[in-house]
C-alpha cells in the first residue's frame, strides 16, 4: 500500500468512526434489501421492482426509513423520492442538472464529481439519456453508461446519505472521502485520470482557486472536460469579490470572480477552451428552507428586495462553464 493509500484509508476510517456517523452507518446496514429501480423526473425516484411491494405511512418499513432519513439531516441536494418518502432537500438540484445535461457527453467516460455531496448528481449522470435503470438485472452494464463515476467529498454525513440511498439502488458508483486537494495524489496513486470532471459549487470555497483549477486540469486526460459551476461577480472588468466576513451568511466564501477574471484563472490552469453555458441568478425556487434542513436558507440570506445579500453584496449569480484541457 502506498503512502497516499495509507493516508486515504486513515482519513476515511477517522471520518466513518465519528460518534455522529458510525451509528448511522450501522443502522443503514440493518435496512431490508428491497430490489429497486431508479428514474429521473424532477428528482431521483426509487421504486421497488416488485409491484406487489408497497409502503404506506403506517408500515414498519416506512417508519424505519423516515426515522433514519430524519437522523441523516441536513439534506442539501435532492430531492429524492424513496418509495413513499419524499426527502424535500434544500436545493432543487434537478434545476441545475437540467441546465447542464444537454452539454454533457458521458457515455463511455470516466467521470469524477468533486464535492459530490450525497451523490445526487452522480445518480443523474448514470441516468443521463436513460429512462430508468435497475442494477439488479444487469450481469453486464449497458454500453451507453459512463465507464466509471467517482465522487469525492470528505463529509461523513453526505457519505452516510449516499449509502442510505444506494443501499436500495446498488449503483456502480465509488465515493471517496477525499477533497479536491487530494485529487492529484489520488490520480497518481491509481495511475488514472478522468475524461470529465464536475466541480459544482466548490471553487468559491477554496482559499487558492487557481491552484484548485490546476489540480482539476492535472487530473483530466488530454482533451478532457471540466464542467464548472461557481458564483460570479457581475462586471466586465477583471475583478474579484473577496468578502471580509461572509457572503450570503456563508463564512467560507473567499473569492467570487468576474467572468474575465475566471477566464484568466482558467488560462493559467492550462484550460484552452472556455465556454459559458449559462448565467443564472439563484432563486428561492431553487434553494429554500424545508423541514429536511432545519436551518435558514436563501430567503434569509438576502435583503428584503432580494437584489442584495444581507451583507450588501450583489445577490448570488451562478455561472456554468465547460472547459477543456490542452
Amino acid at each position: 500500500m502506498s503512502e497516499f493509500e495509507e493516508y486515504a484509508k486513515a482519513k476515511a476510517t477517522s471520518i466513518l468512526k465519528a460518534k455522529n456517523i458510525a451509528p448511522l452507518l450501522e443502522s443503514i446496514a440493518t435496512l431490508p434489501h428491497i430490489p429497486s429501480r431508479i428514474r429521473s423526473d424532477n428528482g431521483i425516484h426509487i421504486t421497488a421492482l416488485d409491484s406487489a411491494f408497497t409502503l404506506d405511512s403506517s408500515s414498519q418499513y416506512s417508519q424505519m426509513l423516515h426515522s433514519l432519513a430524519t437522523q441523516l439531516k441536513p439534506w442539501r441536494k435532492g430531492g429524492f423520492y424513496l418509495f413513499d418518502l419524499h426527502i424535500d432537500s434544500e436545493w432543487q438540484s434537478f434545476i441545475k442538472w437540467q441546465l447542464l445535461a444537454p452539454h454533457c457527453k458521458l457515455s463511455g467516460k470516466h467521470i469524477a464529481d468533486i464535492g459530490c455531496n450525497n451523490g445526487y448528481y452522480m445518480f443523474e449522470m448514470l441516468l443521463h439519456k436513460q429512462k430508468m435503470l435497475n442494477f439488479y438485472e444487469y450481469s453486464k452494464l449497458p454500453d451507453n453508461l459512463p465507464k466509471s463515476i467517482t465522487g469525492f467529498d470528505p463529509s461523513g454525513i453526505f457519505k452516510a446519505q449516499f449509502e442510505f440511498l444506494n443501499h436500495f439502488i446498488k449503483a456502480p458508483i465509488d465515493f471517496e472521502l477525499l477533497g479536491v486537494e487530494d485529487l492529484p495524489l489520488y490520480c497518481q496513486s491509481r495511475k488514472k485520470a478522468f475524461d470529465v470532471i464536475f466541480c459544482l459549487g466548490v471553487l468559491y470555497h477554496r482559499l487558492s482557486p487557481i491552484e484548485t483549477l490546476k489540480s482539476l486540469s492535472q487530473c483530466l486526460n488530454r482533451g478532457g472536460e471540466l464542467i464548472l459551476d461557481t458564483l460570479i461577480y457581475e462586471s466586465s472588468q477583471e475583478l474579484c469579490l473577496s468578502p471580509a466576513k461572509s457572503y450570503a451568511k456563508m463564512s467560507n466564501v473567499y473569492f467570487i470572480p468576474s467572468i474575465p477574471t475566471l477566464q484568466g484563472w482558467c488560462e493559467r490552469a492550462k484550460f484552452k477552451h472556455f465556454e459559458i453555458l449559462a448565467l443564472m441568478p439563484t432563486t428561492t425556487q431553487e434553494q429554500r428552507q424545508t423541514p429536511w434542513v432545519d436551518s435558514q436558507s436563501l430567503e434569509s440570506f438576502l435583503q428584503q428586495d432580494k437584489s442584495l445579500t444581507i451583507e450588501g453584496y450583489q445577490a448570488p449569480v451562478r455561472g456554468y462553464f465547460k472547459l477543456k484541457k490542452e
Side-chain angles (χ1 to χ4, degrees):
M1 185 180 292
S2 70
E3 184 177 343
F4 175 78
E5 288 170 331
E6 290 179 355
Y7 154 80
K9 182 178 180 180
K11 183 173 183 176
T13 299
S14 175
I15 292 170
L16 298 180
K17 285 188 174 180
K19 62 181 181 181
N20 65 318
I21 301 301
L24 295 172
L25 295 173
E26 291 172 4
S27 296
I28 291 167
T30 67
L31 290 171
H33 288 280
I34 304 169
S36 304
R37 63 174 67 88
I38 59 168
R39 63 183 175 87
S40 173
D41 181 10
N42 290 348
I44 297 297
H45 297 250
I46 304 168
T47 55
L49 287 175
D50 184 354
S51 59
F53 180 87
T54 58
L55 285 175
D56 59 48
S57 59
S58 63
S59 74
Q60 177 185 355
Y61 286 159
S62 183
Q63 293 174 19
M64 180 190 305
L65 293 179
H66 188 279
S67 173
L68 186 47
T70 301
Q71 293 173 59
L72 287 164
K73 291 191 295 187
W75 289 86
R76 300 294 182 190
K77 308 299 182 186
F80 295 97
Y81 298 81
L82 178 59
F83 309 123
D84 72 329
L85 175 63
H86 178 202
I87 300 173
D88 188 15
S89 57
E90 177 184 13
W91 285 85
Q92 299 267 50
S93 301
F94 64 86
I95 295 175
K96 182 181 296 187
W97 180 252
Q98 289 171 4
L99 184 154
L100 293 174
H103 304 281
C104 299
K105 296 181 180 179
L106 306 181
S107 176
K109 302 293 180 66
H110 293 288
I111 301 168
D113 185 3
I114 310 302
C116 64
N117 200 271
N118 56 30
Y120 177 88
Y121 294 111
M122 297 194 290
F123 293 125
E124 291 279 20
M125 291 170 204
L126 274 178
L127 285 162
H128 187 46
K129 298 186 178 179
Q130 311 285 329
K131 290 184 178 179
M132 187 177 296
L133 285 171
N134 159 24
F135 294 103
Y136 285 84
E137 70 183 11
Y138 297 128
S139 56
K140 180 179 180 298
L141 293 176
D143 293 335
N144 57 350
L145 292 184
K147 280 188 178 178
S148 70
I149 299 178
T150 307
F152 295 85
D153 202 309
S155 165
I157 195 66
F158 296 153
K159 167 71 168 174
Q161 290 176 2
F162 170 79
E163 295 296 339
F164 174 66
L165 298 163
N166 209 38
H167 178 87
F168 302 101
I169 299 170
K170 307 297 184 189
I173 294 173
D174 294 320
F175 191 121
E176 299 285 348
L177 285 161
L178 299 169
V180 64
E181 68 278 5
D182 299 314
L183 198 59
L185 284 177
Y186 170 89
C187 290
Q188 183 180 326
S189 70
R190 299 292 181 95
K191 294 181 172 57
K192 68 177 291 185
F194 295 99
D195 303 308
V196 183
I197 294 179
F198 289 82
C199 184
L200 309 178
V202 173
L203 193 64
Y204 47 85
H205 293 311
R206 305 302 300 171
L207 285 165
S208 302
I210 297 176
E211 290 304 311
T212 297
L213 288 166
K214 285 182 177 179
S215 294
L216 296 170
S217 175
Q218 182 181 338
C219 295
L220 279 169
N221 287 315
R222 188 171 183 179
E225 294 182 341
L226 171 65
I227 305 297
L228 179 69
D229 146 38
T230 188
L231 290 171
I232 288 295
Y233 183 76
E234 291 190 294
S235 172
S236 60
Q237 301 182 53
E238 291 182 316
L239 298 175
C240 182
L241 173 64
S242 182
K245 294 183 179 179
S246 67
Y247 175 84
K249 291 192 179 180
M250 294 183 287
S251 60
N252 61 345
V253 171
Y254 303 110
F255 299 101
I256 303 177
S258 66
I259 289 180
T261 297
L262 178 63
Q263 187 165 6
W265 290 355
C266 292
E267 289 172 0
R268 287 173 178 259
K270 307 299 183 186
F271 287 104
K272 67 174 182 179
H273 174 84
F274 184 89
E275 180 183 354
I276 303 171
L277 304 180
L279 287 174
M280 301 285 290
T282 304
T283 69
T284 51
Q285 176 188 1
E286 184 178 7
Q287 183 189 12
R288 70 275 193 275
Q289 187 177 26
T290 82
W292 290 93
V293 287
D294 286 346
S295 63
Q296 293 181 331
S297 191
L298 180 62
E299 188 170 8
S300 300
F301 306 157
L302 302 176
Q303 295 186 14
Q304 191 169 5
D305 68 357
K306 296 184 171 57
S307 65
L308 298 173
T309 70
I310 204 75
E311 301 91 350
Y313 300 121
Q314 290 180 5
V317 172
R318 287 183 176 268
Y320 302 90
F321 307 88
K322 180 190 285 189
L323 314 174
K324 285 190 179 180
K325 182 178 178 177
E326 293 181 352

